[in-house]
C-alpha cells in the first residue's frame, strides 16, 4: 500500500523541480535555436506549411467548441496515487499509439508524413482530455478546454513563450476570468507557430527515406512523454495547491 504522506512529499519535490525548470530564462542557446528554426521554416515546402496550419487551426477550434473530442465524466472520490497511476497508464497507451502512427507515416515518404500532423494532434488532445477527467475536471466547461490548450502551449513552445504561458497558469483561477467567451478571439495563429517551431526539425527528418519510420517512432514517443509530464504537473499545481 502506498503511503499517502510519502507520495505527497515525492510529488511536491517533482513539482517544485518542474516549476524551477519551466520558469528558467531563455538562454543564448534557446535564442540561437529560434533563429535557426526561422531559417528552417523558410526552406520547408509550401504544402508542409499549408497542411500544418490547417491541421492546427482545425484542432484548436475543435477543442474550443468541444466537437470531435468526447468529454469523459470527471473521476471523483479516488486518491491521488490512484489518479496518477491511471494517468501514467493513459500516457503509456497514447505513447505506444503515437509510436505506431509515427512509424507508419514516417515510412511513407513526404506526402504520407504530412498526414502525421493531424493524427498526432488528435492523439495528444485525446490524452489531455483523459488526463483532465482523471484529475477530476469537467471538460464540458469551456474554460477547462482553454486550460488544455495552455498545457499544450506550455509543452511545445519556446522558452520565452513558455514563461509567458506558465505565469498565467500559476494564477489560473484569476486569469481564467479574463479569458474571452468568443472562440474566434483565441490567438490560434500564435499557437500554431509556436508548436511548429518546436517540432519542425524533428518532423522534417521524419519525411526522409529509410530513416523516416525510426524518427517518427522516436519523436512521437518523446512528444507524448513531454506532454504527459507537463499535464500531470499542470494539474498538480492547480488542484493540490502544492
Amino acid at each position: 500500500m502506498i503511503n499517502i504522506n510519502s507520495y505527497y512529499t515525492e510529488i511536491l519535490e517533482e513539482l517544485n523541480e518542474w516549476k524551477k525548470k519551466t520558469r528558467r530564462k531563455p538562454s543564448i542557446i534557446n535564442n540561437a535555436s529560434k533563429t535557426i528554426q526561422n531559417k528552417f521554416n523558410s526552406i520547408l515546402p509550401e504544402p508542409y506549411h499549408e497542411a500544418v496550419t490547417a491541421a492546427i487551426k482545425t484542432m484548436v477550434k475543435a477543442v474550443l467548441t468541444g466537437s470531435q473530442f468526447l468529454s469523459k465524466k470527471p473521476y471523483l472520490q479516488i486518491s491521488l496515487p490512484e489518479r496518477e497511476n491511471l494517468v501514467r497508464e493513459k500516457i503509456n497507451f497514447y505513447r505506444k499509439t503515437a509510436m505506431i502512427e509515427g512509424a507508419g507515416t514516417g515510412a511513407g515518404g513526404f506526402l504520407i508524413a504530412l498526414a502525421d500532423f493531424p493524427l498526432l494532434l488528435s492523439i495528444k488532445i485525446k490524452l489531455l482530455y483523459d488526463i483532465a477527467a482523471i484529475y477530476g475536471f469537467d471538460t464540458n466547461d469551456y474554460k477547462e478546454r482553454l486550460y488544455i490548450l495552455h498545457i499544450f502551449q506550455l509543452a511545445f513552445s519556446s522558452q520565452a513563450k513558455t514563461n509567458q504561458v506558465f505565469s498565467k497558469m500559476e494564477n489560473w483561477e484569476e486569469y481564467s476570468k479574463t479569458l474571452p467567451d468568443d472562440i474566434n478571439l483565441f490567438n490560434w495563429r500564435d499557437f500554431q507557430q509556436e508548436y511548429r517551431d518546436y517540432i519542425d526539425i524533428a518532423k522534417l527528418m521524419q519525411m526522409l527515406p529509410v530513416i523516416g519510420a525510426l524518427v517518427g517512432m522516436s519523436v512521437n514517443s518523446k512528444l507524448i512523454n513531454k506532454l504527459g509530464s507537463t499535464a500531470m504537473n499542470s494539474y498538480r499545481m492547480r488542484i493540490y495547491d502544492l
Side-chain angles (χ1 to χ4, degrees):
M1 181 178 294
I2 297 175
N3 184 301
I4 297 295
N5 291 331
S6 175
Y7 193 82
Y8 266 96
T9 300
E10 181 181 337
I11 66 168
L12 176 59
E13 293 175 357
E14 289 181 13
L15 182 59
N16 285 335
E17 185 62 31
W18 175 76
K19 284 183 176 181
K20 186 186 302 181
K21 182 178 179 181
T22 304
R23 288 193 191 106
R24 72 180 185 271
K25 295 181 180 180
S27 65
I28 295 175
I29 294 176
N30 292 145
N31 294 330
S33 297
K34 184 69 173 179
T35 300
I36 295 171
Q37 187 61 61
N38 289 337
K39 291 182 179 179
F40 264 96
N41 283 341
S42 67
I43 65 173
L44 289 169
E46 189 58 29
Y48 169 89
H49 291 291
E50 293 175 356
V52 176
T53 298
I56 295 177
K57 182 178 180 180
T58 299
M59 181 275 287
V60 170
K61 289 199 170 185
V63 172
L64 294 178
T65 59
S67 62
Q68 297 184 16
F69 300 102
L70 296 176
S71 297
K72 294 188 176 181
K73 292 183 178 180
Y75 288 50
L76 303 174
Q77 298 179 339
I78 61 174
S79 68
L80 174 59
E82 289 174 317
R83 289 184 193 278
E84 299 211 325
N85 281 336
L86 289 172
V87 168
R88 292 186 184 96
E89 289 175 5
K90 288 293 183 182
I91 293 171
N92 190 47
F93 170 78
Y94 282 105
R95 182 182 63 81
K96 291 178 180 178
T97 301
M99 288 175 67
I100 294 171
E101 181 272 321
T105 54
F110 175 75
L111 293 177
I112 299 300
L114 286 178
D116 176 62
F117 290 99
L119 291 173
L120 184 58
L121 282 171
S122 179
I123 291 169
K124 288 174 178 176
I125 295 301
K126 287 178 180 177
L127 170 61
L128 290 179
Y129 266 68
D130 281 354
I131 291 176
I134 292 171
Y135 275 110
F137 290 91
D138 185 358
T139 51
N140 286 310
D141 183 338
Y142 168 72
K143 296 295 176 69
E144 291 305 329
R145 298 199 296 273
L146 282 176
Y147 193 72
I148 283 176
L149 290 181
H150 278 72
I151 293 173
F152 196 98
Q153 278 190 302
L154 194 66
F156 306 124
S157 292
S158 64
Q159 188 58 49
K161 185 65 176 181
T162 293
N163 291 342
Q164 295 175 22
V165 175
F166 185 68
S167 66
K168 297 171 183 176
M169 293 175 68
E170 277 191 296
N171 302 286
W172 181 256
E173 298 309 318
E174 288 301 315
Y175 172 67
S176 64
K177 296 174 183 177
T178 70
L179 292 169
D181 292 325
D182 183 354
I183 67 168
N184 294 310
L185 296 178
F186 186 82
N187 191 351
W188 67 266
R189 292 178 185 275
D190 178 63
F191 181 94
Q192 64 94 5
Q193 187 61 57
E194 286 291 334
Y195 178 61
R196 285 173 55 178
D197 286 353
Y198 187 91
I199 68 171
D200 270 347
I201 295 178
K203 285 302 180 182
L204 184 62
M205 296 293 290
Q206 186 176 339
M207 297 179 188
L208 298 177
V210 183
I211 67 170
L214 291 177
V215 171
M217 289 180 63
S218 176
V219 169
N220 284 6
S221 175
K222 290 178 180 179
L223 290 174
I224 293 296
N225 280 338
K226 174 72 181 297
L227 183 61
S229 174
T230 301
M232 288 183 73
N233 283 298
S234 295
Y235 283 114
R236 285 171 173 176
M237 183 169 62
R238 271 185 77 189
I239 67 177
Y240 296 111
D241 196 27
L242 293 171

